[in-house]
Amino acid sequence: MEKMMALALVQARLAAEEGEIPVGAVLVRGTQILAQAHNRREATHDPTGHAEIQCLREGARRLGDWRLRDCTLYVTLEPCPMCAGAMLMAQLGECVYGAADPRLGCCGSVYDLPDDPALGGKTRWTAGVRAEECAALLQAFLRARR
């Protein structure tokens, strides 16, 4: 977990360098890295340009299957409603995230979308991997922009 989150943090730093909110993600199946991405909403003018969405798209493309049941997504910030919904639609096996998002987090903070029985989700999630480092990167970026 630590190693994959370190790779997600590299992606988050790339996002910050590009003026994007510093969120990075890595999608893996077993030991195979399928995709690495960072936020690109500003660069692409795309509201769905979140790191998680990009990883899910690339992983599905590489596998030739939209079902990502045996994959794990590592992301530096707790997924928002859009990304948590995409994880469910992709039937993602697990999401591991660093910092909680008390404003928009949908894997336990504001809401627990993957555990909503109405949605029949099967995505497990684990919170807090390298959380302090993930949060510090985000906080430093936001402070510098104010």
Side-chain angles (χ1 to χ4, degrees):
M1 278 192 208
E2 296 285 327
K3 179 181 175 187
M4 292 302 141
M5 191 60 74
L7 293 176
L9 278 159
V10 167
Q11 289 294 317
R13 288 183 191 99
L14 290 173
E17 289 172 13
E18 295 173 12
E20 302 274 356
I21 301 295
V23 176
V26 176
L27 181 69
V28 301
R29 181 173 72 175
T31 59
Q32 178 188 17
I33 296 173
L34 298 172
Q36 297 183 62
H38 55 275
N39 276 5
R40 304 265 308 150
R41 289 192 312 170
E42 299 299 330
T44 60
H45 309 292
D46 179 359
T48 68
H50 289 200
E52 301 96 319
I53 299 292
Q54 293 179 74
C55 276
L56 295 175
R57 284 180 180 151
E58 177 61 15
R61 187 194 67 74
R62 287 194 61 197
L63 293 173
D65 191 353
W66 60 267
R67 294 167 195 87
L68 303 175
R69 293 180 188 129
D70 56 349
C71 296
T72 301
L73 180 70
Y74 294 86
V75 61
T76 57
L77 181 65
E78 180 180 3
C80 71
M82 174 181 68
C83 294
M87 292 179 340
L88 288 176
M89 295 294 96
Q91 299 178 8
L92 181 72
E94 183 175 13
C95 173
V96 176
Y97 68 86
D101 184 348
R103 196 171 68 86
L104 294 173
C106 280
C107 290
S109 289
V110 175
Y111 189 65
D112 190 354
L113 199 67
D115 198 39
D116 188 323
L119 302 176
K122 304 277 189 264
T123 301
R124 299 174 314 280
W125 56 262
T126 301
V129 176
R130 297 182 79 155
E132 291 175 12
E133 190 175 353
C134 293
L137 178 62
L138 188 59
Q139 290 164 355
F141 177 83
L142 295 174
R143 264 194 312 272
R145 291 192 64 176
R146 290 183 188 143

